[in-house]
């Protein structure tokens, strides 16, 4: 019987207190346990951190890993970035033979696939960060004052629009192929969410966001 230790993470205390973010993680984990886990299974613990995913010294994660090594259990997370945003940390964890790792949003992914996905996600975050800094530098060079809240919001919206355009171009082949095959916007959104593909803002896909991405391609 496989035993699971559920690990959840939110980035801010506000999210932790309100449950915002935790409900979505709980939902994904429940779907995995109900649809993909081998029966019988047992959940022997649940741990939650309110910390940035870039930090490796998270107290609840440390407890979860210690329990996993002691009991020979599997760490179960909703998405890979809940365990860490560092590809080095994930690679080290995947090499630990005393700890198993399963990701609810990628129920069939093996360790090699998880490592590849972590590396690609880290590259994308690094590129987005550099692209955002470049866009703000260009705005400053044009004489735009970035100190005011309204101006910062406007610039952030411009950057978000650029990111949305780039993401739309990146996923264009998938959307076109699925639409030609008769897939609905809902079906495409479900596929993206299952694979752990996020929107330009890092959120979940919905029929409207798929349709908007398709419109951007046009």
């Amino acid at each position: 019987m496989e035993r699971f230790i559920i690990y959840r993470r939110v980035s801010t205390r506000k999210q932790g207190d309100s449950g915002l973010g935790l409900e979505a993680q709980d939902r994904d984990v429940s779907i995995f346990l109900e649809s993909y886990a081998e029966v019988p299974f047992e959940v022997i613990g649940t741990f939650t951190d309110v910390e940035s995913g870039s930090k490796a010294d998270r107290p609840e994660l440390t407890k979860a890993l210690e329990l996993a090594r002691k009991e020979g259990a599997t760490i179960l997370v909703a998405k890979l970035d809940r365990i860490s945003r560092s590809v080095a940390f994930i690679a080290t964890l995947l090499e630990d033979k005393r700890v198993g790792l399963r990701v609810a949003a990628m129920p069939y992914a093996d360790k090699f696939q998880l490592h590849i996905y972590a590396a690609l996600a880290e590259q994308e975050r690094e590129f987005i960060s550099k692209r955002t800094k470049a866009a703000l530098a260009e705005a400053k060079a044009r004489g735009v004052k970035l100190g005011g809240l309204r101006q910062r919001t406007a610039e952030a919206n411009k950057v978000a629009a650029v990111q949305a355009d780039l993401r739309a171009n990146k996923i264009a082949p998938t959307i076109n192929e699925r639409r030609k095959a008769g897939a609905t916007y809902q079906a495409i959104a479900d596929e993206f969410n299952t694979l752990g593909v996020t929107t330009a803002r890092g959120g979940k896909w919905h029929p409207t966001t798929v349709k908007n991405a398709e419109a951007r391609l046009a």
Side-chain angles (χ1 to χ4, degrees):
M1 177 174 65
E2 187 168 12
R3 294 186 292 176
F4 293 102
I5 296 170
I6 298 171
Y7 177 72
R8 311 181 304 171
R9 181 183 65 79
V10 289
S11 299
T12 66
R13 175 61 59 185
K14 182 178 179 180
Q15 287 180 326
D17 292 340
S18 68
L20 182 64
L22 294 179
E23 291 181 0
Q25 292 177 57
D26 288 341
R27 181 194 62 233
D28 290 354
V29 166
S30 294
I31 291 173
F32 174 88
L33 292 174
E34 292 171 3
S35 304
Y36 300 99
E38 294 184 6
V39 178
F41 66 82
E42 180 184 8
V43 175
I44 64 173
T46 299
F47 298 86
T48 305
D49 272 315
V50 183
E51 298 280 359
S52 167
S54 62
K55 294 182 62 176
D57 57 341
R58 283 167 269 152
E60 294 303 302
L61 176 58
T62 298
K63 294 177 185 177
L65 292 174
E66 289 177 350
L67 181 60
R69 294 185 180 107
K70 177 182 177 182
E71 300 294 336
T74 297
I75 299 290
L76 175 60
V77 292
K79 294 175 61 179
L80 189 57
D81 65 3
R82 296 303 87 192
I83 196 78
S84 180
R85 291 183 179 276
S86 166
V87 65
F89 181 91
I90 291 174
T92 300
L93 181 61
L94 292 174
E95 292 174 357
D96 191 335
K97 298 184 183 303
R98 298 171 297 168
V99 180
L101 176 63
R102 299 295 298 274
V103 179
M106 295 182 284
Y108 298 120
D110 57 25
K111 287 188 174 183
F112 176 75
Q113 291 170 325
L114 292 176
H115 192 172
I116 294 299
Y117 180 83
L120 292 174
E122 185 173 81
Q123 289 179 27
E124 183 178 29
R125 285 192 299 271
E126 180 182 354
F127 182 79
I128 289 174
S129 176
K130 291 182 178 180
R131 185 175 62 208
T132 301
K133 291 178 181 178
L136 293 176
E138 290 175 3
K140 185 176 181 180
R142 294 195 303 269
V144 176
K145 294 182 179 180
L146 303 178
L149 178 60
R150 180 177 299 177
Q151 188 59 53
R152 289 201 304 272
T153 300
E155 291 299 327
N157 289 338
K158 291 180 181 179
V159 172
V162 172
Q163 292 176 355
D165 286 340
L166 291 174
R167 174 54 65 92
N169 288 328
K170 183 177 180 180
I171 62 173
T174 301
I175 293 179
N176 287 334
E177 289 176 5
R178 299 298 293 121
R179 289 293 290 165
K180 289 179 181 178
T184 64
Y185 292 123
Q186 181 66 65
I188 297 173
D190 290 341
E191 290 176 6
F192 284 157
N193 291 332
T194 299
L195 291 171
V197 178
T198 61
T199 65
R201 293 180 179 273
K204 292 276 189 179
W205 287 90
H206 301 281
T208 53
T209 48
V210 176
K211 185 175 182 180
N212 289 341
E214 183 183 47
R216 285 180 179 276
L217 303 178

